[in-house]
Amino acid sequence: MPAPHPTRRTALLTAAGIGIGTALPLTGAAPATAAPHPFGPYGSPTRRLNTRTLYVDPHGRGDHPTVTSAVAATTGAGWTLILAPARYRETVTVPADRTGLTLLGAAADPRDTVIVYDNAAGTLKPDGTPHGTAGSATTLVQADGFTAHRITFANDWLRADHPDITSGTQAVAIRVLGDRGAFHHCRFLGHQDTLYADTRSLAVTARQYYAHCHIEGDVDFVFGRATAVFESCRFHTLDRDVGFTPYGFVFAPSTARATALGYLATRCRITSAAPDRAYKLARPWVPSSDLTARPSLVVRDTWLGPGIDAAVPYATMRDAHPWQDQRFAEYRNNGPGSRVTTPAERPQLTAEEARAHTRGTYLGDWAPAPTS
């Protein structure tokens, strides 16, 4: 009998070195093997980096046991939260007035510091209404100037656990709405709609930067209308026990027509746990709330593995909005998933056009601090 396909929950448990079925307590005494200095080189409540630093640890060694309580304790701009290595099973909201907030994982490996929950779009709230896609997010960032280092943002809701939910299977790990949001060495784990790189409204542009990050899922797992740069990131498509192809899509941008630039993936890698050619690179999302959207995506200088259907890498989500009418293009990609067999299926930028698709042109006057 073949081994079962790994799931998001088992992957999280394996990464943390915990056996399947083990409870995931977030409060109580620290385990015997807990590090004596959970905040590493970043001080402690008795040796603060500065007066606007708070320490988070579910085992009572910090200022707050949860990320939510630490965010609530901040006022104004410019706070830093140092997170001890742990699994924080909670939903987190960073309100718009917490500008310049930084979440810093104290461990060198982002696998050790995980913010995770398991709501889906079809999960019911206490009032009996469904969360919806946006409301399913484990973490919601409304503030401008948000930064995260070495954190895993996850949603471990599984379709197999909820056969009663046949629609509303979107389960967002993080939704980012603010301008100047930066993520360094972070991980984003989910299945459908993992990373929602979005804006507050149609009239607002939100610039976001993702450097050296790992992003994985299956259906439309990077989506939204932000202007976002993904630099030196890995996108990983998951295997699925289904009898159809495509299994899913990496990108589903919904860029507003008035927004000049949407998603840019540069110097990235797209890998897969699925069979060859099981995934499309992208499809445009034109939501019912903005039927004038004209999704924008450029993938350049990126390695596309065999999991991407090289012959037909794009698909249309709605017949009224074919992908050919959108702003999709590639430049100097390589790997088996990048082969151009039918030029009409793979629009390519010229060298001159490619000069308009760089981190600098997408982020404008904002230069994110170097990654650490």
Side-chain angles (χ1 to χ4, degrees), residues 188-203:
F188 305 90
L189 309 181
H191 285 267
Q192 183 172 358
D193 291 6
T194 302
L195 170 56
Y196 197 171
D198 203 24
T199 75
R200 293 193 192 95
S201 70
L202 280 172

Side-chain angles (χ1 to χ4, degrees), residues 1-5:
M1 179 177 179
H5 292 168

Side-chain angles (χ1 to χ4, degrees), residues 2-372:
H5 292 168
T7 66
R8 173 60 34 245
R9 188 169 297 124
T10 59
L12 283 169
L13 293 173
T14 301
I18 297 174
I20 304 304
T22 302
L24 305 177
L26 292 182
T27 59
T33 56
H37 304 291
F39 305 108
Y42 303 107
S44 69
T46 58
R47 297 182 297 109
R48 294 185 191 278
L49 296 182
N50 55 55
T51 58
R52 298 185 83 77
T53 300
L54 294 175
Y55 295 86
V56 186
D57 176 46
H59 303 294
R61 297 165 294 179
D63 300 302
H64 298 275
T66 66
V67 181
T68 297
S69 60
V71 171
T74 65
T75 55
W79 286 84
T80 298
L81 307 184
I82 311 294
L83 276 58
R87 185 175 298 101
Y88 299 88
R89 180 161 285 278
E90 56 180 301
T91 58
V92 175
T93 296
V94 179
D97 62 356
R98 303 314 201 271
T99 55
L101 180 72
T102 295
L103 295 189
L104 177 59
D109 192 334
R111 291 174 176 84
D112 295 332
T113 308
V114 180
I115 302 174
V116 58
Y117 208 72
D118 61 347
N119 283 329
T123 304
L124 298 183
K125 296 182 287 187
D127 65 4
T129 61
H131 279 282
T133 299
S136 73
T138 296
T139 300
L140 170 62
V141 178
Q142 299 172 323
D144 292 339
F146 177 85
T147 303
H149 295 263
R150 298 188 298 277
I151 305 285
T152 292
F153 300 91
N155 190 319
D156 64 356
W157 188 92
L158 300 175
R159 299 179 184 101
D161 290 348
H162 302 275
D164 55 311
I165 300 179
T166 56
S167 63
T169 58
Q170 302 89 344
V172 177
I174 188 169
R175 186 184 186 203
V176 186
L177 301 177
D179 186 34
R180 293 174 287 106
F183 297 82
H184 302 276
H185 298 285
C186 289
R187 299 169 78 231
F188 305 90
L189 309 181
H191 285 267
Q192 183 172 358
D193 291 6
T194 302
L195 170 56
Y196 197 171
D198 203 24
T199 75
R200 293 193 192 95
S201 70
L202 280 172
V204 174
T205 298
R207 295 164 296 174
Q208 299 170 17
Y209 180 61
Y210 301 82
H212 305 283
C213 291
H214 175 100
I215 308 154
E216 67 177 54
D218 49 43
V219 179
D220 304 333
F221 63 92
V222 181
F223 74 114
R225 64 178 172 231
T227 295
V229 174
F230 300 89
E231 191 165 53
S232 302
C233 291
R234 179 192 181 195
F235 302 91
H236 186 64
T237 60
L238 299 174
D239 202 358
R240 296 184 64 186
D241 187 13
V242 294
F244 56 80
T245 56
Y247 284 11
F249 312 84
V250 179
F251 299 99
S254 58
T255 323
R257 183 173 293 271
T259 300
L261 300 166
Y263 290 170
L264 170 67
T266 178
R267 300 200 302 277
C268 295
R269 290 176 60 83
I270 300 178
T271 61
S272 183
D276 290 356
R277 301 179 298 280
Y279 276 84
K280 303 292 188 184
L281 182 59
R283 63 178 179 175
W285 176 33
V286 178
S288 57
S289 59
D290 179 21
L291 294 177
T292 67
R294 190 159 178 250
S296 168
L297 167 69
V298 169
V299 179
R300 61 171 298 172
D301 301 296
T302 288
W303 186 84
L304 279 61
I308 298 299
D309 180 356
V312 186
Y314 302 105
T316 293
M317 188 179 296
R318 297 182 180 179
D319 291 343
H321 308 284
W323 75 263
Q324 293 90 342
D325 290 350
Q326 316 310 322
R327 294 173 285 178
F328 285 5
E330 301 176 55
Y331 181 67
R332 277 193 330 203
N333 293 325
N334 60 91
S338 71
R339 291 192 302 268
V340 179
T341 57
T342 305
E345 297 289 342
R346 306 203 75 142
Q348 303 291 313
L349 298 175
T350 66
E352 181 179 356
E353 290 169 336
R355 284 193 283 273
H357 296 276
T358 65
R359 176 177 61 183
T361 56
Y362 276 61
L363 302 184
D365 62 0
W366 172 47
T371 188
S372 61

